[in-house]
Amino acid sequence: MIMRSDRLAHVHSDIRGPLYQEALRMESEGINVLKLNTGNPGRFGFKLPNSVRQALALHIDEAVPYCDVRGMEAARNVICTYHIGRGLLGIMPNDVFICNGVSEAASMLMNVLVGTGDEILLPSPCYSLWSNNTYLCSGKAVFYRCDPANEWNPDVDDIKSKVTDRTKAILVINPNNPTGAVYSKNILLEIADIARKNHLVLLSDEIYDRLIMDGLRHESMGALAPDVPCITFNGLSKSHIVCGFRCGWMVFSGPKGELDDIKDGVMQLASMRLCGNALTQLVIPAALVDSASTQEMLVPGGRLFEQRKATLEALDRIDGVSYVKNKAAFYLFPGLDKSKFDFQDARDFAMKFLHEQHILVIPGGGFDWHEDIRFRIVMLPEPESLTKAMGDMAYFLKQHRV
Ligand SMILES: Cc1ncc(COP(=O)(O)O)c(C=O)c1O
């Protein structure tokens, strides 16, 4: 047998991993599984906004040739304006690279930035795109703790204690997946200060920045640290229900010249694949001025608001489950009081829940969280469906009480 490269040794994508495979096997036997594993709104009846549909129809011929390696000029102009509006200073359209999703942007950037043995500070819990790319680049993933007792904000002292002379970058995922947290401005300023003092690059994954609830404000990391090299990641997958389009980008900001070599490296990699998918880029100008279609999901009566409400109300009725209410996106990362149940660990809980109630959730380990029994719920089904699923969880937990 021909063996895969050892660079894949630590790569794990549990969101589509063994539990998911088991769910597929069950479905092949005719069992109906409620799959709460991926943040994929289009799978749950969320509709493409009209603004996006029209832009695609109107401009389709423009996407016929390969486009600019960095991305279509009209789209990069609008992205640049968007991020200037979010407070990124001094950026130009050439600081923007449009990619096939934040996923491709992250892969490109990490391949350019991370050398063998370079340490990248990543949050725990972490969306595994970032840890996996660190492993693939032969870097070292160093996890800093986010604290459920402090609304899942990063523990700044933990970050400080983990900086070494091999540390190259700090990643912040804000708003966060899997916790749904929106970080406080003070914490972000403190993280920026750590980067400033240790000559580190800030990586800021802000793909959920338009999905903020409860009238809260999201602070863009690069805006808080104009004197620190920062790369901000964003995209339309969730805010405009186009996960399948693969539409994301990265923006370089900070002191002039500091990131030029990294940008040149990204240009080399971007050139290798000629250009990003041009069809998806056609919709960026229309989408970024259409905040209304996103906003209506987030207020009372809107799907994301009501789905969160239904989930939390049902969880409140279960003894032994705790959670921090998400402030953004559609993720919740609840914990179980281990002393009350007979589960060995989070994976044991998730596998039994799948087998006994036919509901798939991803255990904490899938997000590099091993401290206690936690799992991520994706609150994308309609409210009634989530109420029922949480009711099933209540029944299931009753059976496993010690
Ligand atoms: C935090 C975070 N970053 C990046 C991505 C990937 O987004 P894209 O669809 O743009 O590749 C996701 C997808 O769930 C995510 O949750």
Side-chain angles (χ1 to χ4, degrees):
M1 187 165 52
I2 299 167
M3 302 301 285
R4 74 191 90 173
S5 130
D6 56 7
R7 280 196 302 277
L8 273 82
H10 299 290
V11 171
H12 65 99
S13 295
D14 294 9
I15 294 170
R16 291 179 179 77
L19 275 145
Y20 175 65
Q21 295 304 328
E22 177 60 5
L24 293 185
R25 190 199 60 74
M26 289 164 66
E27 284 185 327
S28 74
E29 287 181 358
I31 299 169
N32 201 2
V33 177
L34 178 64
K35 297 205 280 305
L36 302 182
N37 60 320
T38 54
N40 196 359
R43 274 265 175 269
F44 294 92
F46 284 74
K47 295 278 178 277
L48 189 67
N50 276 336
S51 57
V52 171
R53 187 182 300 280
Q54 281 165 6
L56 198 55
L58 205 61
H59 297 286
I60 192 159
D61 287 324
E62 294 165 34
V64 173
Y66 292 128
C67 67
D68 188 296
V69 171
R70 289 189 176 88
M72 287 176 164
E73 203 178 331
R76 281 188 292 119
N77 286 340
V78 174
I79 290 170
C80 196
T81 306
Y82 175 79
H83 286 281
I84 290 171
R86 305 276 0 259
L88 292 194
L89 298 179
I91 55 168
M92 307 286 281
N94 274 358
D95 296 318
V96 175
F97 286 81
I98 304 177
C99 298
N100 299 320
V102 168
S103 305
E104 190 196 37
S107 161
M108 267 189 205
L109 188 274
M110 295 296 267
N111 266 292
V112 173
L113 184 72
V114 183
T116 304
D118 283 346
E119 296 177 10
I120 308 297
L121 282 159
L122 304 172
S124 168
C126 186
Y127 177 62
S128 60
L129 166 70
W130 293 100
S131 43
N132 284 338
N133 271 302
T134 308
Y135 303 135
L136 278 172
C137 299
S138 305
K140 184 170 169 200
V142 178
F143 291 99
Y144 65 83
R145 184 172 184 271
C146 297
D147 186 1
N150 186 21
E151 309 227 294
W152 283 118
N153 273 292
D155 179 337
V156 173
D157 289 333
D158 194 40
I159 300 181
K160 277 185 195 154
S161 75
K162 287 174 175 163
V163 175
T164 73
D165 54 6
R166 291 305 310 263
T167 310
K168 198 141 188 200
I170 308 178
L171 168 73
V172 169
I173 303 177
N174 177 40
N176 190 268
N177 176 6
T179 64
V182 177
Y183 296 161
S184 86
K185 184 174 176 180
N186 280 345
I187 298 264
L188 292 171
L189 286 168
E190 286 187 63
I191 295 174
D193 206 39
I194 299 174
R196 181 180 293 115
K197 287 189 173 129
N198 295 282
H199 197 56
L200 308 178
V201 180
L202 287 168
L203 307 177
S204 192
D205 181 343
E206 302 182 3
I207 191 169
Y208 298 104
D209 75 336
R210 287 174 296 282
L211 294 177
I212 307 278
M213 289 192 264
D214 311 327
L216 293 169
R217 193 185 141 83
H218 174 264
E219 304 284 347
S220 185
M221 183 53 125
L224 297 179
D227 59 329
V228 179
C230 180
I231 304 158
T232 304
F233 297 80
N234 209 318
L236 297 182
S237 284
K238 323 289 171 146
S239 60
H240 291 79
I241 326 293
V242 290
C243 286
F245 281 33
R246 315 309 299 123
C247 184
W249 56 84
M250 57 185 143
V251 187
F252 291 76
S253 64
K256 264 224 141 354
E258 264 303 275
L259 288 172
D260 279 2
D261 196 51
I262 302 297
K263 257 194 281 184
D264 288 349
V266 168
M267 192 67 180
Q268 274 179 292
L269 293 190
S271 305
M272 275 169 58
R273 55 80 156 121
L274 311 183
C275 71
N277 180 352
L279 276 172
T280 74
Q281 299 180 33
L282 296 177
V283 309
I284 293 173
L288 281 184
V289 295
D290 170 18
S291 54
S293 66
T294 312
Q295 205 50 39
E296 70 187 24
M297 301 190 283
L298 302 166
V299 293
R303 281 198 60 178
L304 294 183
F305 185 94
E306 297 301 331
Q307 287 159 198
R308 177 180 70 169
K309 188 162 170 255
T311 308
L312 302 191
E313 281 176 3
L315 285 179
D316 285 342
R317 292 193 283 271
I318 311 178
D319 176 43
V321 176
S322 62
Y323 63 83
V324 180
K325 183 178 177 179
N326 65 307
K327 295 176 176 158
F330 35 74
Y331 304 113
L332 199 72
F333 200 49
L336 293 183
D337 180 344
K338 195 170 191 291
S339 68
K340 293 192 170 156
F341 304 103
D342 64 4
F343 308 114
Q344 281 163 21
D345 51 29
R347 198 187 161 89
D348 182 42
F349 155 80
M351 192 58 94
K352 287 178 174 147
F353 191 41
L354 174 61
H355 283 151
E356 293 170 34
Q357 298 301 322
H358 309 160
I359 298 174
L360 173 63
V361 293
I362 301 303
F367 305 95
D368 287 290
W369 176 269
H370 303 284
E371 195 173 299
D372 52 17
I373 298 193
R374 279 184 194 277
F375 54 95
R376 187 188 72 169
I377 302 177
V378 173
M379 297 180 286
L380 283 176
E382 296 273 7
E384 310 74 55
S385 172
L386 282 163
T387 302
K388 156 110 181 39
M390 295 306 110
D392 292 347
M393 182 177 296
Y395 172 81
F396 167 76
L397 290 175
K398 219 167 166 183
Q399 312 303 307
H400 288 276
R401 222 163 259 282
V402 288

